[in-house]
Amino acid sequence: MITKIVTITDKTNVNDEELREAAEILRSGGLVAFPTETVYGLGANALDETAAKKIYEAKGRPSDNPLIAHISCMEELPALVKEIPEAGRKLAEKYWPGPLTMIFPKKAVVPYGTTGGLDTVAVRMPSDPVANRLIRLAGVPVAAPSANTSGRPSPTKAEHVIEDMNGKIEMIIDGGEVGIGVESTIVDVSGKVPTLLRPGAITMEMLEETLGKVEVDPAILGPVSGNVRPKAPGMKYRHYAPQAEMTLVEGDMQAVVEYINREAKAAKAAGRKVGIICTEESRSCYPEGILEVIGSREHEETVAHNLFAVLREFDERQVDCIFSESFSRDRLGQAIMNRLCKAAGYHIVEV
Ligand code: AMP
Ligand code: MG
């Protein structure tokens, strides 16, 4: 298949003509990758089981890992969900459109092929002007997981999508770099107490401010063993992983730098190519290895924004091992550490 690439001329003033063909592809059961404010999504008609199946094929994604249905405005929600619980209403009012996904009881019209066999459906309303307009023009809810090969770091630029999806899907819309860089926060509002299933840019602190009590799914905090079925099924798979083995180093900054330098030196002596994930503040502390600056500790949004691109960069440079600094788990740090822990396969060293 030849993948058509459409470049958006002006994101701040989207021209519908640039999106019409993409909308038509989505309506007729094809696949289109497009930018959102979180990461690039791989879209298909969420109500069309055959179209959803193509997403799983293109990504190599296990079919019990459910998809998120994207809508463009509140009026499109009732068609998909049986009820909108109070918590869902409050969060929608405050954070939609935006990087927040909520789990609702699904209506029959949403096929099990989209929800991975579950009776609930995950819904998000993206704020990115290209994503939002495309969904509106398509006139159908759009299932859109990240537009990467399953297991690889999520795409935050069109080039990443081209790497993974060229020749496998009908169209890629190039809208430049995404803003946030990590996937949406997921909250289950279908039960008694709202539960955080995946941390993102809408932080735990923000959710609690709006809802009061919020529970945290244990899958966020650590690896899920093979015999439990987590609430957010995607949680059980290895994610965001670079090709090299990665070690996340936690502790006092001085000790972290010393540990990484010692390990980098030993690895280099053993003939291995070493990658180091550092920050603006620590970039001058590492004499050995290939450095990637993930962002500034002063501005955590920069760390989220660059995280996946840095992991892909190490794939490109074919390093054998990666050592990464850690971050606090407050606010956006919870999402950053969740992605880094998964990328490292929970290989964490405390110093
Ligand atoms: P993404 O990987 O961004 O496409 O997000 C999909 C993730 O959303 C899945 O891996 C699940 O963790 C979560 N998810 C989607 N639908 C549901 C659902 N109905 N119930 C619980 N989690 C869901
Ligand atoms: Mg993904």
Side-chain angles (χ1 to χ4, degrees), residues 8-323:
I8 299 298
T9 6
D10 181 4
K11 267 195 96 156
T12 57
N13 186 14
V14 176
N15 176 356
D16 282 357
E17 291 316 310
E18 292 175 353
L19 295 178
R20 282 216 197 279
E21 192 181 346
E24 184 47 43
I25 293 171
L26 288 173
R27 236 189 335 269
S28 57
L31 301 186
V32 177
F34 58 93
T36 82
E37 69 273 29
T38 57
V39 300
Y40 269 80
L42 176 55
N45 180 353
L47 302 183
D48 176 348
E49 207 152 19
T50 317
K53 209 166 164 210
K54 291 184 192 165
I55 291 184
Y56 289 99
E57 279 162 17
K59 281 179 64 76
R61 177 169 170 131
S63 63
D64 67 342
N65 190 352
L67 306 174
I68 297 172
H70 293 71
I71 56 176
S72 73
C73 61
M74 209 52 195
E75 287 67 43
E76 293 167 2
L77 183 62
L80 306 180
V81 308
K82 265 195 187 145
E83 53 163 329
I84 308 174
E86 180 65 14
R89 211 172 283 284
K90 281 187 183 161
L91 289 178
E93 214 159 275
K94 187 115 198 225
Y95 295 114
W96 273 3
L100 175 71
T101 297
M102 289 189 270
I103 312 289
F104 299 95
K106 81 170 188 72
K107 273 195 177 153
V109 67
V110 183
Y112 286 116
T114 299
T115 68
L118 299 172
D119 287 313
T120 49
V121 59
V123 186
R124 181 164 102 81
M125 187 195 299
S127 63
D128 179 279
V130 174
N132 197 284
R133 192 65 194 159
L134 174 60
I135 297 162
R136 175 69 65 93
L137 291 174
V140 292
V142 176
S146 49
N148 54 287
T149 302
S150 199
R152 286 208 76 197
S154 299
T156 55
K157 313 173 185 189
E159 297 78 57
H160 297 159
V161 182
I162 294 169
E163 262 171 44
D164 287 11
M165 292 298 151
N166 200 19
K168 294 185 181 168
I169 63 178
E170 279 81 0
M171 182 179 281
I172 296 172
I173 298 177
D174 182 349
E177 276 195 39
V178 302
I180 294 169
V182 291
E183 300 86 345
S184 60
T185 304
I186 304 180
V187 183
D188 187 350
V189 293
S190 70
K192 255 205 202 123
V193 183
T195 306
L196 178 67
L197 303 185
R198 176 171 74 187
I202 305 300
T203 65
M204 187 67 184
E205 289 81 352
M206 291 157 81
L207 295 172
E208 283 175 335
E209 198 187 295
T210 309
L211 299 180
K213 190 172 164 48
V214 176
E215 275 173 8
V216 176
D217 191 89
I220 287 177
L221 308 168
V224 178
S225 66
N227 51 6
V228 291
R229 188 176 161 82
K231 257 194 161 169
M235 297 295 186
K236 73 175 180 231
Y237 298 106
R238 187 166 183 240
H239 256 90
Y240 321 123
Q243 276 146 28
E245 80 185 36
M246 176 166 154
T247 306
L248 192 55
V249 189
E250 264 193 306
D252 169 68
M253 254 340 278
Q254 184 66 28
V256 167
V257 168
E258 278 168 20
Y259 177 89
I260 293 179
N261 276 331
R262 201 166 53 241
E263 292 295 315
K265 199 169 173 186
K268 200 176 163 198
R272 306 179 80 200
K273 198 165 167 185
V274 182
I276 297 174
I277 298 180
C278 67
T279 58
E280 291 293 352
E281 291 79 11
S282 67
R283 63 190 307 162
S284 62
C285 302
Y286 301 101
E288 314 273 3
I290 297 170
L291 287 191
E292 283 289 338
V293 177
I294 196 170
S296 163
R297 288 184 184 277
E298 300 274 294
H299 304 285
E300 264 185 341
E301 317 80 64
T302 60
V303 177
H305 177 84
N306 295 326
L307 195 151
F308 289 127
V310 162
L311 296 177
R312 276 185 182 253
E313 189 59 33
F314 280 132
D315 281 352
E316 195 85 348
R317 298 177 80 164
Q318 301 189 315
V319 299
D320 301 304
C321 54
I322 301 169
F323 295 95

